[in-house]
Amino acid sequence: MKLLLSEKQVQQKVGVLARKISKDFAGREVLLIGVLKGAFIFMADLARKMTTPVKMDFVRLASYGSETQSSGKIKFTKNLETPLRGKDVLIVEDIIDTGITLKHLYQRLKARKPRSLKVVALLDKPGRRQVNFQADYLGFRIENHFVVGYGLDCAEQYRNLRGIYVLK
Ligand code: PRP
């Protein structure tokens, strides 16, 4: 494994994102929606660095249909427990790869009529994109490496690493 982003780099970036988001949502309560499992560590750090009041919920998604089809749909294997209508909602993702997960999730959540709906992603691999999707708040753009750590896994291992590593 080769270190890509150190714990310090990650924490500094999470701080920058938290300050920007807190400023943009000043005086409002933000409902954070974490996409399990990968986002759980990022969301825990982000939430604790934010200065606006936050509430938290999680979804877990599975894709179905052909994995090679960019039109592949997603289904909730764990749905939200919170109504979104009228809320300021921020989807929290660890990584955007093909973009399929977030594009579908965004559309599904938008239909629940939140007051606002934004996305924060810690990592983005634009070189892997199959559908057009951009995060409103982004930590790092990275090359097409297979990365682990800080929530990201390889066969469920390495999620607890404090930095982000390229798996060789
Ligand atoms: C990863 C990641 C995103 C998704 C991004 O989750 O956490 O949710 O893939 O990929 P996409 O942009 O190509 O849709 P994964 O399916 O590995 O599940 P996990 O978070 O439980 O590890």
Side-chain angles (χ1 to χ4, degrees), residues 35-38 60 93-101 153 159:
V35 185
L36 293 170
K37 301 177 192 175
R60 179 138 176 76
E93 255 292 24
D94 50 338
I95 190 163
I96 312 177
D97 193 343
T98 64
I100 291 170
T101 303
D153 75 309
R159 292 193 197 272

mmCIF file of all heavy atoms in Angstrom, residues 35-38 60 93-101 153 159, ligand 1:
data_model
loop_
_atom_site.group_PDB
_atom_site.id
_atom_site.type_symbol
_atom_site.label_atom_id
_atom_site.label_comp_id
_atom_site.label_asym_id
_atom_site.label_seq_id
_atom_site.Cartn_x
_atom_site.Cartn_y
_atom_site.Cartn_z
ATOM 1 N N VAL A 35 -24.101 7.897 3.047
ATOM 2 C CA VAL A 35 -24.309 6.720 2.190
ATOM 3 C C VAL A 35 -23.394 5.604 2.720
ATOM 4 O O VAL A 35 -22.173 5.672 2.598
ATOM 5 C CB VAL A 35 -23.981 7.052 0.716
ATOM 6 C CG1 VAL A 35 -24.309 5.856 -0.178
ATOM 7 C CG2 VAL A 35 -24.753 8.288 0.257
ATOM 8 N N LEU A 36 -24.017 4.619 3.347
ATOM 9 C CA LEU A 36 -23.273 3.506 3.959
ATOM 10 C C LEU A 36 -22.682 2.600 2.884
ATOM 11 O O LEU A 36 -23.242 2.502 1.797
ATOM 12 C CB LEU A 36 -24.210 2.697 4.856
ATOM 13 C CG LEU A 36 -24.712 3.454 6.091
ATOM 14 C CD1 LEU A 36 -25.807 2.667 6.786
ATOM 15 C CD2 LEU A 36 -23.574 3.764 7.052
ATOM 16 N N LYS A 37 -21.554 1.900 3.160
ATOM 17 C CA LYS A 37 -20.913 2.078 4.451
ATOM 18 C C LYS A 37 -19.824 3.138 4.401
ATOM 19 O O LYS A 37 -19.441 3.702 5.407
ATOM 20 C CB LYS A 37 -20.262 0.746 4.890
ATOM 21 C CG LYS A 37 -21.186 -0.417 5.016
ATOM 22 C CD LYS A 37 -20.346 -1.679 5.398
ATOM 23 C CE LYS A 37 -21.194 -2.915 5.247
ATOM 24 N NZ LYS A 37 -20.376 -4.137 5.479
ATOM 25 N N GLY A 38 -19.258 3.322 3.220
ATOM 26 C CA GLY A 38 -18.028 4.093 3.081
ATOM 27 C C GLY A 38 -17.993 5.452 3.750
ATOM 28 O O GLY A 38 -16.946 5.908 4.190
ATOM 29 N N ARG A 60 -28.484 2.983 2.703
ATOM 30 C CA ARG A 60 -27.583 1.983 2.118
ATOM 31 C C ARG A 60 -28.199 1.592 0.792
ATOM 32 O O ARG A 60 -29.422 1.403 0.693
ATOM 33 C CB ARG A 60 -27.451 0.785 3.047
ATOM 34 C CG ARG A 60 -26.558 -0.308 2.509
ATOM 35 C CD ARG A 60 -25.656 -0.875 3.604
ATOM 36 N NE ARG A 60 -24.866 -1.980 3.140
ATOM 37 C CZ ARG A 60 -23.781 -1.858 2.352
ATOM 38 N NH1 ARG A 60 -23.390 -0.671 1.923
ATOM 39 N NH2 ARG A 60 -23.105 -2.918 1.992
ATOM 40 N N GLU A 93 -20.916 11.615 0.901
ATOM 41 C CA GLU A 93 -20.334 10.445 0.215
ATOM 42 C C GLU A 93 -18.823 10.416 0.410
ATOM 43 O O GLU A 93 -18.192 11.467 0.486
ATOM 44 C CB GLU A 93 -20.615 10.524 -1.288
ATOM 45 C CG GLU A 93 -21.679 9.586 -1.782
ATOM 46 C CD GLU A 93 -21.317 8.110 -1.719
ATOM 47 O OE1 GLU A 93 -20.461 7.697 -0.926
ATOM 48 O OE2 GLU A 93 -21.936 7.347 -2.480
ATOM 49 N N ASP A 94 -18.271 9.241 0.453
ATOM 50 C CA ASP A 94 -16.813 9.144 0.528
ATOM 51 C C ASP A 94 -16.176 9.348 -0.845
ATOM 52 O O ASP A 94 -15.171 10.028 -0.974
ATOM 53 C CB ASP A 94 -16.373 7.808 1.141
ATOM 54 C CG ASP A 94 -17.054 6.612 0.492
ATOM 55 O OD1 ASP A 94 -18.124 6.783 -0.107
ATOM 56 O OD2 ASP A 94 -16.514 5.499 0.571
ATOM 57 N N ILE A 95 -16.786 8.756 -1.888
ATOM 58 C CA ILE A 95 -16.133 8.824 -3.210
ATOM 59 C C ILE A 95 -17.158 8.794 -4.342
ATOM 60 O O ILE A 95 -18.179 8.107 -4.250
ATOM 61 C CB ILE A 95 -15.096 7.664 -3.366
ATOM 62 C CG1 ILE A 95 -14.239 7.842 -4.617
ATOM 63 C CG2 ILE A 95 -15.765 6.303 -3.333
ATOM 64 C CD1 ILE A 95 -12.967 7.004 -4.624
ATOM 65 N N ILE A 96 -16.881 9.559 -5.381
ATOM 66 C CA ILE A 96 -17.667 9.495 -6.622
ATOM 67 C C ILE A 96 -16.789 8.832 -7.667
ATOM 68 O O ILE A 96 -15.671 9.266 -7.915
ATOM 69 C CB ILE A 96 -18.083 10.889 -7.131
ATOM 70 C CG1 ILE A 96 -18.668 11.743 -6.013
ATOM 71 C CG2 ILE A 96 -19.083 10.749 -8.274
ATOM 72 C CD1 ILE A 96 -19.034 13.150 -6.468
ATOM 73 N N ASP A 97 -17.340 7.774 -8.241
ATOM 74 C CA ASP A 97 -16.580 6.988 -9.205
ATOM 75 C C ASP A 97 -17.290 7.126 -10.563
ATOM 76 O O ASP A 97 -17.068 8.093 -11.280
ATOM 77 C CB ASP A 97 -16.552 5.554 -8.667
ATOM 78 C CG ASP A 97 -15.560 4.648 -9.356
ATOM 79 O OD1 ASP A 97 -15.107 5.003 -10.453
ATOM 80 O OD2 ASP A 97 -15.232 3.590 -8.818
ATOM 81 N N THR A 98 -18.165 6.180 -10.899
ATOM 82 C CA THR A 98 -18.920 6.333 -12.150
ATOM 83 C C THR A 98 -19.945 7.465 -12.058
ATOM 84 O O THR A 98 -20.381 8.004 -13.072
ATOM 85 C CB THR A 98 -19.695 5.049 -12.490
ATOM 86 O OG1 THR A 98 -20.677 4.811 -11.470
ATOM 87 C CG2 THR A 98 -18.770 3.851 -12.595
ATOM 88 N N GLY A 99 -20.369 7.796 -10.839
ATOM 89 C CA GLY A 99 -21.390 8.827 -10.638
ATOM 90 C C GLY A 99 -22.794 8.265 -10.568
ATOM 91 O O GLY A 99 -23.745 8.986 -10.257
ATOM 92 N N ILE A 100 -22.923 6.965 -10.832
ATOM 93 C CA ILE A 100 -24.261 6.354 -10.928
ATOM 94 C C ILE A 100 -24.996 6.403 -9.581
ATOM 95 O O ILE A 100 -26.174 6.766 -9.508
ATOM 96 C CB ILE A 100 -24.149 4.900 -11.445
ATOM 97 C CG1 ILE A 100 -23.703 4.919 -12.914
ATOM 98 C CG2 ILE A 100 -25.482 4.166 -11.305
ATOM 99 C CD1 ILE A 100 -23.326 3.564 -13.475
ATOM 100 N N THR A 101 -24.287 6.067 -8.511
ATOM 101 C CA THR A 101 -24.917 6.051 -7.183
ATOM 102 C C THR A 101 -25.509 7.407 -6.853
ATOM 103 O O THR A 101 -26.691 7.528 -6.501
ATOM 104 C CB THR A 101 -23.867 5.678 -6.104
ATOM 105 O OG1 THR A 101 -23.285 4.431 -6.438
ATOM 106 C CG2 THR A 101 -24.504 5.607 -4.730
ATOM 107 N N ASP A 153 -12.998 0.554 1.582
ATOM 108 C CA ASP A 153 -12.562 -0.819 1.847
ATOM 109 C C ASP A 153 -12.067 -1.539 0.606
ATOM 110 O O ASP A 153 -12.295 -1.114 -0.527
ATOM 111 C CB ASP A 153 -13.733 -1.627 2.416
ATOM 112 C CG ASP A 153 -14.747 -2.005 1.334
ATOM 113 O OD1 ASP A 153 -15.186 -1.107 0.579
ATOM 114 O OD2 ASP A 153 -15.083 -3.198 1.219
ATOM 115 N N ARG A 159 -11.106 -0.131 6.301
ATOM 116 C CA ARG A 159 -11.961 1.044 6.491
ATOM 117 C C ARG A 159 -11.479 1.912 7.653
ATOM 118 O O ARG A 159 -11.741 3.107 7.696
ATOM 119 C CB ARG A 159 -13.408 0.623 6.767
ATOM 120 C CG ARG A 159 -14.130 -0.018 5.590
ATOM 121 C CD ARG A 159 -15.625 -0.083 5.876
ATOM 122 N NE ARG A 159 -16.345 -1.013 5.026
ATOM 123 C CZ ARG A 159 -16.868 -0.701 3.826
ATOM 124 N NH1 ARG A 159 -16.728 0.494 3.339
ATOM 125 N NH2 ARG A 159 -17.525 -1.612 3.133
HETATM 126 C C1 PRP B 1 -18.803 3.129 -3.163
HETATM 127 C C2 PRP B 1 -18.835 4.538 -2.628
HETATM 128 C C3 PRP B 1 -20.012 5.143 -3.324
HETATM 129 C C4 PRP B 1 -20.051 4.409 -4.647
HETATM 130 C C5 PRP B 1 -19.486 5.270 -5.709
HETATM 131 O O1 PRP B 1 -19.632 2.331 -2.385
HETATM 132 O O2 PRP B 1 -18.964 4.574 -1.245
HETATM 133 O O3 PRP B 1 -21.206 4.937 -2.601
HETATM 134 O O4 PRP B 1 -19.272 3.223 -4.494
HETATM 135 O O5 PRP B 1 -19.471 4.603 -6.930
HETATM 136 P P1 PRP B 1 -20.213 5.128 -8.232
HETATM 137 O O6 PRP B 1 -19.926 6.601 -8.382
HETATM 138 O O7 PRP B 1 -19.565 4.301 -9.317
HETATM 139 O O8 PRP B 1 -21.672 4.842 -8.122
HETATM 140 P P2 PRP B 1 -19.585 0.727 -2.397
HETATM 141 O O9 PRP B 1 -20.585 0.234 -3.386
HETATM 142 O O10 PRP B 1 -18.167 0.283 -2.568
HETATM 143 O O11 PRP B 1 -20.136 0.351 -0.963
HETATM 144 P P3 PRP B 1 -19.524 0.669 0.491
HETATM 145 O O12 PRP B 1 -19.587 2.181 0.668
HETATM 146 O O13 PRP B 1 -20.441 -0.056 1.408
HETATM 147 O O14 PRP B 1 -18.109 0.152 0.541
#
